[in-house]
Structures are given as structure tokens and as C-alpha cells.
Amino acid sequence: MSAHAHRIVVLGGDGIGPEVCAAARSVLEAVAAKDSFTLTFEDKLLGGCAIDAHGTALPDDTLEACKRADAVLLGAVGGPKWDDPTAKVRPEQGLLGLRRALGLYANLRPVRPHAALADVSPLKADRLAGVDIIVVRELTGGIYFGQPRRRETVDGVEKAIDTLEYTDVEIRRVVRLAFRLASERKQHVTSIDKANVLESSRLWRQVATAVGAEFPSVSLDHQLVDSAAMRLITEPARYDVIVTENMFGDILTDEAAVLAGSLGLCPSASLGDGRAGLYEPIHGSAPDIAGRGIANPIGTIASAAMLLRHSLGAPASAARIERAIDSALADGLRTKDIGGGLGSDAMTEAILKRL
Ligand code: IPM
Ligand code: MG
């Protein structure tokens, strides 16, 4: 890792977002001190808090700071205060706009159940043995962004339109990234689509097959999303790298989080062609527990580890954090969501102590 200071923008966002980001930041600072590198942090607004302050979920000043940064650490956005379905500005627009503006087309969501948490998962322990999955979710295309997208009333009939569209270019780049990951893991990609119904999925399957031919040592399966949703629970150990479009990936990763024991444990990295990336837990802003100091900080701390690995080129520091998390969990330390009684600060302290 180079000697200059790495610039990290922190977007705490709403609800528990700022709390879990503060926890992850303290872990990053501790690791930087131990492994002798320098990090600078800059806090910016995104989501509901940005709407309150500036009337927009993604202020220009936030976007500019993120573009200059080496990496962005994000908490979560949204909450009941901004949930009016007729509102023109919504917190989620900030997150979606940021992913798109930074060109972060691949969202990596690793799911690796911790052995110590086998009792927390609703699945039987033997189903969880050997589970180690990375879901690569396409993040800047599909129905989240397709046009047209509007409401219209024709002859008294109200209609809403969303558009699901993909180009071969969008599919190829994210599938390639999934294959590159698989070639360093168990050499297996599962591409998930709905090719029996959707035209966009038929293109997805065609492009995935062509990309597969570039990686002869990696095997490729195609699965339909409905049966994949079932097999993710009945035979999760069969998966290595999953690649899928934006909305299927959104849904399947909340499901996959059940394998890990809690949404609160799961990190993510959003990457594009450069090294800069956006790192966030996959959980939401959890307004019901915000400000109570009980949120599980592990999803965000594990996201900070991914930040070190993917954006700062510091895999050893990343592994140091991951080992500290494993060790804290192995010692039975747990927040409320995983059946324990520790608050966020105590959980963070436990991880800091084990770095
Ligand atoms: C996620 C979230 C977001 C998404 C929401 C908050 C817009 O569910 O990161 O998975 O759908 O991408
Ligand atoms: Mg989601």
C-alpha cells in the first residue's frame, strides 16, 4: 500500500447508519495505526438527512467528494419520515443516484456463515456446512433504472410503468467480474435469470454463456430465479459465485443473509472499472432501533474490511479485521439480532481488542 493518505468519504445516512459507520471508522483507524498507513475521513450527507438539509437526497457536494475519494463508506438511507409515496424526493434516490454516478455496476455480497452462529440460523447446521457464496448483483441497470418509468391515468384507469432493460455491454462486464472472482475461488459461476419469460434474461443467458467460453476452467450453470430462491435454502453449499441482475440480486441477497444468521452481519462492496468503491452493509436504516445503541456493527465493519481489500490494496489489514470479527463471535460475543445482549459499542470494543 502506498504511503500517501487514503481519502475515505463517510456517508452515515439515516437511522442506524451513522452509528454503524462510527463503529467501522474506529476499526479502520485502529487498523491504520497498527499497519502504518494514513486514512483521512470526510463526512457528507446522503439520503433523508440530505433531503432535510438541502432538499435533495444526493447533494452535488456529496457526489463531488465521493468522486475524489479512494473509497466511500456508507451506512443506510431511508426512514418513515421520508416514506410518503407521493413525495418527489426520496432518500433511496440518493443511494441509487450515487451508485450510478460512480459507475459501480457490480455489487459483491459475500455470505459465509460463522460456525459460532449455527444456532442462530433458522436452517439446520448440516445445511450450512461449507457454505461460502459471493453474490454479484448487477447494480446500475435493469428495472431500477430503465425508462420509461412513470404514472399515467388514461380514461380513468391509473397505470404505472417500470422498464426492465439490459444491454449486452452491461451484462458482459458484470458477468466477467463474476468469472474473475470464481477463478480465484471454487471455479463455479451460477447465473440466475428468468429466461423462460423475460427477453432481458434471454440476452443475459446468451452473454453469460459467451463470457463463460472465455474462462474454460470455470464451470457455468444457469438457474431460473424462482427455483434458485428455493435451492439457495435447500442446498446452499452448492453455490460459489452467483451473478444476477439488479432486482433479483436485491431479493436473493436478503434471502441469503438468513444463511449468515442475520442481515446485520452482511457486508457489501460496490465496484466499477476503477479501484474506488462504495462499501455498505446490506441491512437498511432500521429506524425502530436507531439511536438506541443496539445495532449490530459487524455488517459495516466487515464492509470496511472489503474496502481495505478492494479499494486500498490492503488484503492483510482486511483479513486482520475479519479474523477479529470471527474471534469475537467465536467467543460468544453477540448483539441482540444474533441472540445476545451486547450493545453496538461493546461489540465494537470486542472487535477492536482482537485486531
Ligand atoms: C439494498 C437496498 C436498496 C436497493 C434500497 C434501499 C434502494 O435494498 O441495497 O439492497 O434496493 O438496492
Ligand atoms: Mg436490498
Side-chain angles (χ1 to χ4, degrees), residues 1 53 101 187 201 211 218 223 275 279 335 353:
M1 155 164 344
Q187 316 289 327
S201 281
V211 171
V218 180
Q223 285 182 8
R275 214 154 95 152
Y279 300 85
T335 43
K353 230 169 65 192

Side-chain angles (χ1 to χ4, degrees), residues 99 109 137 144 247 249-251 253-254 263 282-284:
R99 290 168 174 171
R109 298 186 165 188
R137 165 187 176 194
Y144 274 53
M247 191 160 77
D250 178 45
I251 298 167
T253 51
D254 267 35
L263 210 49
I282 83 165
H283 63 68

Side-chain angles (χ1 to χ4, degrees), residues 126-256:
D126 61 331
R127 288 271 161 88
L128 295 173
V131 173
D132 182 359
I133 304 172
I134 293 196
V135 180
V136 180
R137 165 187 176 194
E138 199 290 327
L139 203 59
T140 52
I143 202 163
Y144 274 53
F145 295 96
Q147 293 297 337
R149 170 197 191 83
R150 64 164 181 272
R151 288 279 195 112
E152 62 191 26
T153 305
V154 180
D155 298 332
V157 175
E158 214 180 341
K159 178 167 158 189
I161 301 168
D162 290 293
T163 301
L164 169 48
E165 60 182 1
Y166 269 109
T167 65
D168 61 344
V169 176
E170 289 171 312
I171 301 168
R172 196 172 298 117
R173 62 187 181 183
V174 72
V175 174
R176 277 208 179 112
L177 193 143
F179 270 91
R180 283 198 296 271
L181 280 173
S183 65
E184 291 165 8
R185 293 169 47 96
K186 289 184 273 178
Q187 316 289 327
H188 183 204
V189 170
T190 305
S191 172
I192 295 179
D193 61 39
K194 187 71 186 174
N196 53 347
V197 177
L198 300 176
E199 202 54 46
S200 57
S201 281
R202 287 193 274 274
L203 179 61
W204 185 281
R205 199 172 268 223
Q206 174 194 320
V207 173
T209 303
V211 171
E214 300 169 12
F215 295 82
S217 64
V218 180
S219 63
L220 169 66
D221 278 337
H222 301 281
Q223 285 182 8
L224 296 173
V225 64
D226 49 354
S227 86
M230 183 187 72
R231 293 163 76 172
L232 200 51
I233 296 297
T234 55
E235 36 184 7
R238 296 180 72 105
Y239 295 95
D240 175 20
V241 176
I242 288 174
V243 62
T244 191
E245 66 93 48
N246 202 343
M247 191 160 77
F248 296 161
D250 178 45
I251 298 167
L252 291 175
T253 51
D254 267 35
E255 186 192 0

